Amino acid sequence: MSSKRARPEPAVPSPGPRPVSSGGPSFAVAFGGGGARGLAHIHVIEALDELGIRPVVIAGSSIGAIMGAGMACGMTGQDIRDHARKVLASRAEVAGRVWRARPASFGEMMEGGLRLGQFNVERILQSFLPDRLPATFEELSTPLRVLATDYFGHRQAVFQTGELRSALAASAAIPALFRPVRRDGRLLIDGGIYNPVPFDLIENDADLLIAIDVVGAPTLSPRRPPSAVDLMFGSTQLMMQSITALKLQHKRPHIFLKPPVSRFRVLDFLKIDAVLAETASIKDELKRAVEKEVARYEKRHPRVIA
């Protein structure tokens, strides 16, 4: 008898959801705002890639608009993951990019008055966005709708044509942290303030609608009471949750998912690995939900084979 041990048979991976056929339903995707919590959108984009789903239209608020722009320009989920990990690799990397985004002159710094603690979000984004992102909406391979808040107009502002990066900056201009963005005669701030998960912008544009909510909620810390900053951002979370809850009473997307992001803060971008690890389950959750909704759709709309 040979003294050599028999090698174990290699494990056979369990089959996942079937890729969606090209003749199946069309999809629209809405990516919600939530700062660093929106890194969870990377899993969503990767899941759609693996299912062979290319949305016919994308909408996004704040970080969701930025992630949506990456997908709309043809980046895969892996592309976006690689870029995010590159630019958020370390404190030194992030600090260097923020430093390069500083005002070019004293005059530029003083433009509009001295605003301590408010960064120019357009310059910050320019330093972090991927080079392959085009200059205009028209150059995107998938239609994109970016949601910002018109501060003095008291309403949402939707961008889908013209210059792209200023629209993304406006959508991500978190009050008190970033300066508002001026465009088309309007003063614009974070889109999540008015519409945290803008699925209503695209609800009639595809057969199936997917919406991803990464707002999260304030969580109790046993170590310390919430600071003034925690209270400010936490109060905003509660407000955004109430807006979304009210919208869901009137219209619910076919798939509405909320990754477990509450333990992360809005600026926890350096915790990218922790965010991705914590929210990895959303990938399979989305795949199962898509398979279920596609089956329902095909039952209602049986295909006729010639």
Side-chain angles (χ1 to χ4, degrees):
M1 181 181 295
S2 172
S3 60
K4 292 183 180 180
R5 292 184 184 179
R7 292 184 179 179
E9 290 294 323
V12 178
S14 59
R18 295 176 289 115
V20 177
S21 71
S22 58
S26 59
F27 287 83
V29 182
F31 294 107
R37 297 182 286 266
L39 293 168
H41 290 316
I42 293 172
H43 291 304
V44 172
I45 298 170
E46 288 177 336
L48 295 175
D49 290 341
E50 292 168 16
L51 289 171
I53 293 173
R54 192 70 195 172
V56 296
V57 64
I58 298 168
S61 282
S62 199
I63 185 69
I66 295 169
M67 291 288 179
M71 189 180 197
C73 80
M75 294 177 72
T76 65
Q78 186 63 54
D79 291 337
I80 296 172
R81 178 189 288 262
D82 291 343
H83 178 78
R85 296 191 72 181
K86 174 185 174 183
V87 300
L88 302 173
S90 65
R91 288 185 183 277
E93 178 67 29
V94 171
R97 288 176 181 270
V98 172
W99 173 252
R100 291 193 291 274
R102 71 192 186 281
S105 66
F106 181 76
E108 183 179 339
M109 182 178 70
M110 295 298 294
E111 184 180 357
L114 181 61
R115 298 174 179 176
L116 297 176
Q118 281 190 300
F119 295 95
N120 184 321
V121 65
E122 292 181 79
R123 294 183 69 95
I124 294 287
L125 280 189
Q126 185 65 31
S127 185
F128 283 89
L129 289 175
D131 293 335
R132 65 186 289 183
L133 203 68
T136 66
F137 281 88
E138 288 78 7
E139 296 171 82
L140 296 170
S141 56
T142 301
L144 174 68
R145 293 173 194 168
V146 171
L147 196 288
T149 299
D150 182 348
Y151 185 74
F152 289 116
H154 313 156
R155 59 181 178 268
Q156 64 184 15
V158 182
F159 297 96
Q160 54 187 320
T161 60
E163 209 280 323
L164 175 61
R165 293 179 185 237
S166 66
L168 297 178
S171 187
I174 301 172
L177 181 63
F178 295 118
R179 295 182 186 181
V181 172
R182 291 189 179 274
R183 174 167 167 163
D184 302 334
R186 293 179 287 184
L187 192 74
L188 304 164
I189 62 172
D190 187 357
I193 297 296
Y194 206 96
N195 196 343
V197 192
F199 58 83
D200 51 309
L201 300 184
I202 53 175
E203 62 185 359
N204 298 316
D205 293 335
D207 298 317
L208 297 178
L209 175 59
I210 299 171
I212 310 297
D213 181 355
V214 293
V215 168
T219 56
L220 181 64
S221 171
R223 292 176 294 179
R224 60 177 179 80
S227 66
V229 173
D230 292 333
L231 288 169
M232 179 184 70
F233 285 128
S235 299
T236 301
Q237 282 178 289
L238 296 175
M239 178 198 69
M240 293 164 76
Q241 281 192 339
S242 67
I243 293 170
T244 300
L246 185 61
K247 285 174 55 182
L248 290 172
Q249 290 179 14
H250 296 279
K251 175 73 174 183
R252 192 171 188 91
H254 299 90
I255 299 172
F256 184 84
L257 300 180
K258 301 175 71 170
V261 294
S262 290
R263 78 178 183 91
F264 299 101
R265 297 180 180 180
V266 70
L267 297 179
D268 275 347
F269 286 100
L270 283 169
K271 295 182 179 180
I272 177 172
D273 289 335
V275 174
L276 291 175
E278 184 84 3
T279 59
S281 60
I282 197 67
K283 195 171 182 179
D284 286 338
E285 187 179 353
L286 175 60
K287 288 181 178 180
R288 290 192 298 269
V290 166
E291 186 174 42
K292 183 177 180 180
E293 289 301 325
V294 168
R296 285 179 177 175
Y297 176 86
E298 291 180 342
K299 188 174 182 179
R300 295 193 306 268
H301 304 86
R303 277 180 266 174
V304 178
I305 300 175

